[in-house]
């Protein structure tokens, strides 16, 4: 059972990171992107935990308990990311060049710019 739990944990972490990157590439600020990843991550994570790890029939009550447990983990990583100086400097230089979004980092000595 531990191996299945680990597989689901890694899968959920990769899914969350992929969604976070996708939402940032769509133009959301990091905190908005982090909040947007919560609903799909919760639904998919619960479905995998219930079906693959514990092999139980999903119920709304169990899903609610799962959401409460998982949401209690959310503030800490988000606050750690937002309190990092480079996270705030990265978006202070954000601007629009036509259809492209340009991000500049104050801590980048070479003045490189990230374009999409």
């Amino acid at each position: 059972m531990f191996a299945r739990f680990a597989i689901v944990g890694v899968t959920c972490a990769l899914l969350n990171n992929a969604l976070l990157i996708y939402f940032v590439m769509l133009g959301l600020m990091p905190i908005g992107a982090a909040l947007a990843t919560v609903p799909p991550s919760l639904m998919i994570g619960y479905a995998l935990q219930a079906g693959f790890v514990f092999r139980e029939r999903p119920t709304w009550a169990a899903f609610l308990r799962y959401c409460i447990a998982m949401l209690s983990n959310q503030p800490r990583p988000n606050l750690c990311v937002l309190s990092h100086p480079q996270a705030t400097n990265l978006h202070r230089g954000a601007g629009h060049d036509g259809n492209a979004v340009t991000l500049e980092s104050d801590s980048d000595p070479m003045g490189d710019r990230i374009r999409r």
Side-chain angles (χ1 to χ4, degrees):
M1 179 155 42
F2 179 77
R4 292 191 308 255
F5 183 78
I7 290 168
V8 169
V10 168
T11 301
C12 288
L14 292 173
L15 170 70
N16 190 49
N17 287 338
L19 287 172
L20 182 65
I21 291 167
Y22 176 73
F23 288 134
V24 168
M25 289 177 65
L26 286 178
L28 289 175
M29 295 296 285
I31 189 65
L35 292 173
T37 64
V38 172
S41 296
L42 285 175
M43 290 184 280
I44 293 168
Y46 174 70
L48 290 173
Q49 290 289 356
F52 183 66
V53 176
F54 296 107
R55 301 182 191 241
E56 294 180 0
R57 193 175 128 263
T59 65
W60 286 108
F63 179 63
L64 180 61
R65 288 191 306 271
Y66 179 83
C67 288
I68 291 169
M70 291 296 106
L71 290 175
S72 68
N73 294 324
Q74 288 300 316
R76 186 174 27 121
N78 290 339
L79 288 175
C80 289
V81 167
L82 292 176
S83 67
H84 193 277
Q86 288 181 346
T88 53
N89 287 344
L90 179 66
H91 289 282
R92 189 171 45 197
H96 291 278
D97 295 339
N99 292 329
V101 174
T102 304
L103 300 175
E104 298 173 352
S105 175
D106 292 344
S107 62
D108 186 4
M110 300 300 287
D112 293 336
R113 300 172 96 176
I114 301 170
R115 291 187 180 269
R116 101 176 138 83

